[in-house]
Amino acid sequence: MNAALRSYPSRGVLDRPRSRWADAAVFAAVTGLGAYIADATRDGDWPRILVGVLAMSAFVVGINRLFWRRLYALAQRRYSL
């Protein structure tokens, strides 16, 4: 594997979208938001689709700000070289 792909910044760029997508998927499964968006999409109800997507986006940003950012800062403080 190329050394640039194994470097920390490159790895972070690749992993961040994946973790946010996982957060959104968990939220959708737990709250039923995925079913809500699927029903709205099937019915072609754009206002409901927009509400569902905005709710999921707010959840992902909130989890990032409240949990992952703090955890990342803790790991930097604790395990920095």
Side-chain angles (χ1 to χ4, degrees), residues 17-76:
R18 192 177 331 153
S19 69
R20 289 186 183 140
W21 176 253
D23 293 343
V26 168
F27 179 71
V30 170
T31 63
L33 186 58
Y36 175 84
I37 294 172
D39 291 342
T41 303
R42 185 188 63 239
D43 298 339
D45 190 351
W46 284 99
R48 283 179 48 211
I49 294 170
L50 183 61
V51 167
V53 170
L54 289 175
M56 190 175 296
S57 299
F59 171 78
V60 170
V61 169
I63 289 295
N64 185 37
R65 301 265 185 211
L66 296 174
F67 180 71
W68 291 117
R69 188 170 288 191
R70 291 180 183 171
L71 186 62
Y72 180 76
L74 173 68
Q76 275 189 321

